[in-house]
Amino acid sequence: MDSQYFREHFLTKGVKMDKNKSEALQKIIHEFLQKRLNDKLEKLKDDDPKRAELQQQIQARFQAENWLENAARRAGHIQAVTHTLKAIHSGAKGGSSLHAHPASLKKLPIVGSHCLGNEYTLDVTGDAGVLDVFDFLSREFDGQTFLELAVNNDVALATALSDDAEQAKRWMQSFAALLEIEDQPSAHTLAKQMYWPISSDVENDAAFHLLEPLFPSSLVHKAYELIHGDLDAAKHYRNSKSPKFKNQQIELSDKARAWQAQEKGVMHELAVSKYPLLAVKNIGGQTIRSKGNVSRLNQVRQGANYLLASVPPQWVSQPLKPLLNTESMFGRYGRRAEVKTELRTLLKFLKTDPPATLPTRNRRAQHVNALLLELLQFTTELRELESGWVAQPECKLKPQHAFWLDPEGAWQQAHAQNQTPPTDTLNVVSEDFALWFNHQLQSTPAGSLPVGDPEYNVWRKLCEEALKAYERGGLEEAMCWLDMRADELADTTAQNAKQEVAHV
């Protein structure tokens, strides 16, 4: 190799030639090409009259200089990436994929490509017919791939590739270009895009960033390897117990032994991972080549991508307790999360001093309806408790509240004590709701809202109507009444809007 070339490009950077390393790299190159040559020759038919000619052509093609020259030329048709576009839509051609070293990404408290750090598998996208070039560049020596060595202008790799310094330089530059980032990223009409607001000025185009989601191929492949390894260990252990393999000596892997330990109820240093409702999404066509057109790692997985079950947890609520040591039901009612949320939203709206229009009335009514529905839900939950809890000495509820929340238990208690059941239950509960509601509006942290008797009468009437509907047909009947009332308000608002348009 040209000594002047090495002085200019390597020795000036403090890099020394390592003859042993160069010979080891040459051996790896020879073994790679020999294996590919043997694979091609095995496919030739013995009775093919052109076998000798084809064999000669194939052997010539896999001469090191010929193959490397061809590989350097074809390397421009693929790109090394961590995030691919074609997995989003296989028909997206010409759009930019992305190579972002996971260790360089911002650390976030969520799962993402940044979690991979330096332990990640590089993917490649482009022409599936060129993936053999990436396979070559994925060969490793002493923990470094040929691609990394090419990027670092490794002297030993240059020596192993060719005795011609300029030729080696050109090949290494072609290989290293796989990691180059495009100066002008481009999208495609089939790529997904979304506008992400970065300010509240939604009428200004500059208030948005245009985002293009990409498929996190390296992260997906890491997840696939972990999940597939766990599934394979479980399958390995199941097979070891199968009668089919009864007479065979099966050596269990460490993960398979963890499954065995779990079944026996003993400890093991490795954990057992289970993936309920696991789904598999296949990306790419039916052939291996078509899957490779999406990306190299997609081809390695044969198009398989695991999808973890994204379902809500099975919520187990804390057992509801009776209302004890309180005179009013509205103390606990007001502490319910849904009630606090509705109140907070309503107060925020009313603090803006909205105009006294039908839309304002309609929106306010929606929040009031939600509070009433929550009151009826609260009632239903307490009525589902075993009757008689209001007879406990610790129950200090008003008689009307007791009769509303535990009708059977309150009636039995009144009968046992020769007391007359109250006849104003709905009226008193409705009045107390109106008093509670007005108090919430009058005692906000930001100051009191101007509510008084007129508002009190509205809340009381609405609550009493809702309670009557509940008494007639339970929660379902009450919900129908609230929905019907909301529809009436919406119709009134629409009619008013039509009148205004006609007037104009």
Side-chain angles (χ1 to χ4, degrees), residues 382-392 395 397-419 421-422:
L382 285 168
R383 286 191 176 188
E384 289 177 349
L385 294 175
E386 186 176 353
S387 63
W389 58 267
V390 294
Q392 298 181 41
C395 183
L397 287 174
K398 286 183 178 181
Q400 291 85 353
H401 289 201
F403 267 87
W404 175 248
L405 298 175
D406 184 12
E408 184 178 347
W411 187 90
Q412 291 176 351
Q413 182 187 32
H415 180 73
Q417 297 177 355
N418 294 320
Q419 295 177 348

Side-chain angles (χ1 to χ4, degrees), residues 184-245:
Q184 294 294 332
S186 59
H188 190 271
T189 54
L190 296 177
K192 298 182 187 298
Q193 298 179 35
M194 60 183 177
Y195 287 91
W196 187 267
I198 56 176
S199 77
S200 57
D201 185 14
V202 295
E203 296 182 356
N204 183 2
D205 289 345
F208 296 88
H209 278 165
L210 183 59
L211 303 182
E212 180 183 305
L214 295 175
F215 187 77
S217 184
S218 294
L219 177 64
V220 167
H221 192 71
K222 182 66 173 180
Y224 175 88
E225 288 180 328
L226 292 173
I227 296 173
H228 190 73
D230 291 331
L231 298 179
D232 193 53
K235 181 180 179 181
H236 187 191
Y237 176 59
R238 288 196 302 271
N239 287 342
S240 71
K241 301 190 302 175
S242 172
K244 181 179 178 181
F245 302 98

Side-chain angles (χ1 to χ4, degrees), residues 323-326 389-397:
L323 284 176
L324 304 177
N325 299 310
T326 182
W389 58 267
V390 294
Q392 298 181 41
E394 295 84 3
C395 183
K396 312 295 184 183
L397 287 174

